[in-house]
Amino acid sequence: FFAQDFIRAMFRRSWKRWLNADRKRNVDVSIEDVKNSVSEIIKACQRMSKMDVGALIIVSDDISDTIVESGTQVNAQISSDLLETIFFPKTPLHDGAVVIMGNRVVAAGCYLPLTQAMNLPREFGTRHRAAIGVSEAYPNATVIVVSEESGIISAVHDGKIKRYLDAEQLRAVLNCAFRLT
């Protein structure tokens, strides 16, 4: 029993060291690479919106290890194909959130805290409540939601939601999230 706990603790420590090292490498990502990542996220969100595929994407360098570790570690370059594949209905990771740190998809299928707010519109489902909840817990995080029911693209930051985003509005939100503006 002790050996299993010890091995698990060592794995988590090595995972955290690897993740932190990866975060430091992301500091050197070029502006062109970040702009390309923003374009890939926009392309994926627009395609998923048209197909009524739900999505929940967190952009932040300040998300707890608990949230990242609740999902499946990915550590892949951001691409529209990857995001669309992750959120494709009935796949194992489609119901959770994707966490993007720096210029990488770090984890997918992550569990998030739900907001405790009671005055939300009835059309807000679990994805919207999770987006608001994580943005309340992590005010520097920006969360993108694509509604499965309506295809509406929304952005949540510091507990506040902006809905009905088009490509240029989403670009402005993501540019702020990636600190391009």
Side-chain angles (χ1 to χ4, degrees):
F1 181 73
F2 174 76
Q4 289 174 339
D5 288 342
F6 180 74
I7 291 168
R8 188 175 300 117
M10 290 304 291
F11 173 75
R12 281 198 175 133
R13 230 178 258 163
S14 65
W15 162 247
K16 289 177 187 173
R17 188 176 307 124
W18 173 79
L19 181 61
N20 287 333
D22 197 51
R23 285 183 196 172
K24 289 175 187 165
R25 278 196 301 270
N26 287 330
V27 173
D28 297 331
V29 173
S30 75
I31 291 175
E32 279 307 308
D33 287 341
V34 175
K35 286 181 178 180
N36 184 53
S37 294
V38 167
S39 295
E40 291 293 309
I41 295 169
I42 292 167
K43 185 178 0 175
C45 288
Q46 288 185 310
R47 285 184 188 167
M48 291 185 289
S49 172
K50 287 180 181 146
M51 297 185 305
D52 291 332
V53 171
L56 185 55
I57 302 169
I58 302 168
V59 178
S60 178
D61 287 330
D62 185 32
I63 292 293
S64 78
D65 291 339
T66 306
I67 290 175
V68 173
E69 291 173 0
S70 72
T72 300
Q73 281 66 43
V74 177
N75 190 35
Q77 184 174 343
I78 298 167
S79 75
S80 60
D81 289 340
L82 175 62
L83 293 171
E84 291 173 57
T85 300
I86 289 169
F87 290 113
F88 191 80
K90 305 217 186 322
T91 58
L93 302 176
H94 87 279
D95 272 336
V98 161
V99 176
I100 293 176
M101 293 181 172
N103 205 34
R104 313 283 292 172
V105 175
V106 176
C110 298
Y111 296 106
L112 304 178
L114 299 179
T115 184
Q116 298 303 307
M118 301 298 245
N119 58 344
L120 297 175
R122 292 173 69 133
E123 66 265 18
F124 283 7
T126 305
R127 277 192 182 91
H128 290 89
R129 293 175 187 283
I132 294 167
V134 78
S135 76
E136 290 168 342
Y138 301 94
N140 291 328
T142 298
V143 188
I144 307 301
V145 182
V146 179
S147 172
E148 187 173 347
E149 284 75 33
S150 65
I152 295 169
I153 301 172
S154 306
V156 184
H157 184 80
D158 197 15
K160 297 169 191 71
I161 189 164
K162 181 167 173 63
R163 301 182 71 202
Y164 303 99
L165 299 179
D166 62 21
E168 287 313 305
Q169 292 168 322
L170 183 54
R171 183 175 308 283
V173 166
L174 289 168
N175 283 344
C176 286
F178 282 101
R179 296 177 184 93
L180 289 175
T181 57

